[in-house]
Amino acid sequence: NRFLHRVSEAVLFVTIGGSGVGKSTFLNQIFASALSEHEVPESTKSIREFRYGVSEASVRVNEHVTRIFKSREELEGLQIIDMQGIEQAERDGALEYVKEYLYKSSVVFVLFDVRSVTDYAMWELLEEIETRKAVFVLTKCDLAEPETIQEREGKLRKYMEEAGIKAPVFKVSTQWEGSLKEVREYVLNE
């Protein structure tokens, strides 16, 4: 029964990260623009839950969660959660919703701007997730020097080791398409 229940559930993708690291844009690029027909908003103000629906609709579940139904067949069987920045979730009192999505997730994309991998709120939250689900992504790598990228990736891996997290780390640029191939292949195959 437990197996059948698990199989019948949608595959749940969740992104977490600070404000401005590129979570919404990353998701839109990974899922081939299936989430948004328009420009991604400057800042996600709440938790947006994307699902397949026969018709396009948006339902406010509560003060923190908006469920958005998209009639794109590529979303069938998927549930994609676009989180607001962790610091914003803390200020808004939405951290329990974030933790609930992380607990139920199939894959957690953990995004850090390559220029700032020290985010204590993020690391505190990461200690609570199943690390086998984590995929780390350093964003905006085209905006930093190669030495900086190497140093920050080393720092990120050190933090991961200290937290007992074993997960892949991918580097992507603001020119998303060319740098997402490895991430897509990893998610598809793993």
Side-chain angles (χ1 to χ4, degrees), residues 89-133:
E90 283 182 319
R91 280 194 301 272
D92 291 351
L95 214 45
E96 288 308 311
Y97 291 99
V98 171
K99 290 177 182 178
E100 186 178 322
Y101 279 116
L102 291 174
Y103 175 75
K104 295 187 305 187
S105 66
S106 305
V107 177
V108 178
F109 292 114
V110 182
L111 275 64
F112 284 98
D113 184 321
V114 73
R115 299 167 295 179
S116 176
V117 297
T118 308
D119 183 338
Y120 299 110
M122 276 288 294
W123 287 104
E124 196 172 296
L125 186 62
L126 288 171
E127 291 177 6
E128 297 185 36
I129 69 168
E130 283 186 58
T131 57
R132 66 178 174 76
K133 301 176 179 183

Side-chain angles (χ1 to χ4, degrees), residues 9-15 27 31 35 48-52 65 67-68 74-82 101 104-107:
E9 292 176 353
V11 176
L12 177 61
F13 292 91
V14 177
T15 55
L27 281 176
F31 293 101
L35 306 183
R48 298 185 308 161
E49 180 183 308
F50 291 91
R51 294 179 174 200
Y52 173 76
V65 179
R67 190 166 293 147
I68 302 165
E74 59 264 37
L75 292 178
E76 214 168 332
L78 302 179
Q79 187 177 356
I80 302 165
I81 310 302
D82 185 10
Y101 279 116
K104 295 187 305 187
S105 66
S106 305
V107 177

Side-chain angles (χ1 to χ4, degrees), residues 148-162:
T148 302
I149 296 169
Q150 186 176 1
E151 183 260 326
R152 298 296 161 76
E153 182 180 2
K155 188 182 275 191
L156 177 70
R157 289 186 186 280
K158 181 181 176 219
Y159 291 156
M160 290 168 64
E161 185 179 322
E162 289 172 1

Side-chain angles (χ1 to χ4, degrees), residues 134-148:
V135 175
F136 282 72
V137 180
L138 289 171
T139 63
K140 304 180 183 183
C141 288
D142 56 323
L143 303 179
E145 296 297 322
E147 305 82 42
T148 302

